[in-house]
Amino acid sequence: MKITEQFLKKILVSPSLISEKDFDLIKKKALAEKKSLINAILDQGLIFDEQLGRLIADEIQLPFVNLQKTKIKKDILNIIPEIVARQQETIAFEKSQEGLKVALSDPENIELREFIERKTGEKVLPYYATEKDIKETLKCYKREIKEVFDELINKALEELKKTVKAESLPIIKMVDLILSYGYENRASDIHFEPYQKKTILRYRIDGILYDVLTLPETIHEFLISRIKILADLRTDIHEAAQDGHFSFSFPDEKADIRVSIVPIEEGEKAVLRLLSERARRFDLEGLGVGNKETEIIGKNIKKSWGMTLVSGPTGCGKTTTLYAILKILNTREVNICTIEDPVEYDIEGVNQIQVNPKTGLNFSKGLKAIIRQDPNIIMVGEIRDEETSKLAINAAMTGHLVLSTFHATDAATTIPRLLEMGAESFLISTTLNLIIAQRLVRKICSKCIESYEISPEKIAQLLGKDLVLKLPRTKEGKILLFRGRGCSLCYKTGYLGRTGIFEALEIKEPIKKLIIEKATADQIKNKAQELGMRTMIEDGLKKAEKGITTLEEILRATKE
Ligand SMILES: [Zn+2]
C-alpha cells in the first residue's frame, strides 16, 4: 500500500493532530529537501514514529507492532532470509499457535505473504510496523563480529595446518568481513597492529580509534599477505614500507581503499583508509559551511585570478574543503590542474599530479610543470615552504586562480606566517582574495541528544564575556545547550559524525592596507571582525545553539 498524501492528510489533519497549514508547510519542505512526506512529518517532531504507525495501522485495520520494543528470537528472525527481509522490508518476530507473526511496512504485499507461507508452511499473521522501525530492526540479522570471527579464526587455524597461504578461504573471508564491518560502522581507517603475542584490530570512527578485536598472532601475517595481494604489493618483502590501493565493493558503493604497510619491531603494521564517497559529500553545506561563508566563498572563487587559502592544523579537513570548491569550479570551460600529496580523490576532468619524493617531484617542481599546461585554476596541496609560496603567488599574479592549504591557527594568523616565509607584503595584498580557516568538531548523537541549562557566568569563564552575549537566554536568564547522553548507536560517546566550523576572511581594502603595513594577526583579526567576519568560535556557538555540537567540542577544537 502506498501511503499517499491524501491518506496522511486523512489521519493527521482531519482529527486535527496537525493543522492544515503545518501540513502544507511540511509538504513544501519535503518537496524542497527531496524527502518522503512521512519522514518530513517525523523530522518536524509534531508526531512520533510510533504514534504515526499506530494511526496508520488503525486506518488500515491491522494490528500494530513496535519491533524495537519486541524481543525477537534469532530462530524466528531467520525464518525470513536476510536478503528477502531487506528487500521487502519485513521482519518475522513471533510464532504462535495461530501462525507466524510478520511485520510489514507494506501490508498489501500479497506476494510476500504467499512466499513466506509457501516457504514456512505457516499461516502469516500480518502486522503493521513503520518503515523506520523495520530498518532499525534489520540490524538484528548481523551477528556480533566477535561471534563470527571466533568461528572463522578456528576454521583458519585448522586450514593453516594443511596449507600455508593467504589465499585460504577463511583468511579471504576475514579480510572481507573486517572491511564490510568497518564500512557499516562508518570507519575511516582500519588498523592491524601486531604485538608480541597478538594482533589488535582497530577502527577509527569519527576521528577516534576503537579497539575492535584481538586476533591470534599466527593469523597476522596471513591477513597482511591477503591485503598485500589485494593491493598488488610484494608479499615477499617484509622489511620495507609499502603503499598501494585497491577497490572493494560494499553493498552501497564501490570504494577505494588505500593501503599503507610499515614494518615495526613486532611485525608489519597495516593501515587501510576507506575512501568512501558516502563518507564525504563534497559540497560546502554538507561540510558544515554556513550560508554566510558559502556566499563569501562563492563570490571569491568566481574571480578570474588571485589566491584562496584554507588554513588550519593537520587533519582539520582543509583538503576536503578544497575538493568541495574544486567541484564547484569544475566545468567544461576551465582547465584545472592540481599537485597533491597524495591525490585523495580522482575528480573527473581535472589533471591531478601526485608529489613523488622518489623522482624529486615536490610541490614547487609540480607547480612549475603545471603552469606550462596553461591552466585556469591551480590547486596546490599545501604551501609549506618559501619556494612554493613564491611560485603560488606568482601564478596568482599572472592570471590564475590558485587554491591551496596552509598551516596556521586561524585566518588572520595566515598573513604574518606568509610574510615570515619570505613572501612580499605587497604581493600578498594584491593576490590574496580569501582565507578560510576551519576545525572539525564531533556532532552530537541524534539518538541520545539531550538539552541542559548553563549559566551565562559559567560560559563567560570558558569563552570570555563577549561571546556569551551572542547566545540567546531562556526566561530564567540561562543558556540552553545540548549534549549526548551516550547510547549503543554512538558507542556511549554521545557523538556521531563530524562537521566543520569555519571562518572566512575576505581580503578587502582595509585588510590589504594592514597587510602592507605588516600588521599583527590580532590587528588583522579585529579589523576583519569589524568588517563583519564571523570567527570559528562564533560559527561553533551557532552550531552548539542548534544542537549540532557541544561547547566542549568547540573549546577542544579551537584550542589547537
Ligand atoms: Zn548516542
Side-chain angles (χ1 to χ4, degrees), residues 7-26:
F7 182 89
L8 287 169
K9 210 163 188 170
K10 185 175 166 205
I11 61 169
L12 294 170
V13 179
S14 306
S16 16
L17 287 163
I18 293 180
S19 73
E20 181 132 28
K21 201 173 130 216
D22 282 349
F23 190 88
D24 288 336
L25 278 175
I26 296 169

Side-chain angles (χ1 to χ4, degrees), residues 238-280:
H238 303 282
E239 308 302 329
Q242 296 192 69
D243 291 322
H245 69 100
F246 63 94
S247 68
F248 190 84
S249 295
F250 296 105
D252 311 341
E253 66 169 299
K254 201 165 162 187
D256 210 28
I257 295 171
R258 209 162 71 203
V259 178
S260 155
I261 294 176
V262 176
I264 59 173
E265 210 173 301
E266 291 78 12
E268 287 171 287
K269 180 184 165 176
V271 177
L272 275 53
R273 170 156 283 189
L274 275 56
L275 299 171
S276 119
E277 277 296 328
R278 177 195 63 170
R280 302 191 177 207

Side-chain angles (χ1 to χ4, degrees), residues 462-463 537 550-560:
L462 297 167
L463 293 173
I537 291 196
T550 63
L551 191 60
E552 290 73 19
E553 261 309 276
I554 299 163
L555 288 168
R556 181 195 59 75
T558 50
K559 238 187 345 218
E560 285 166 14

Side-chain angles (χ1 to χ4, degrees), residues 24-35:
D24 288 336
L25 278 175
I26 296 169
K27 202 174 89 188
K28 270 191 203 135
K29 217 173 156 200
L31 221 56
E33 294 173 3
K34 297 199 180 82
K35 277 187 200 166

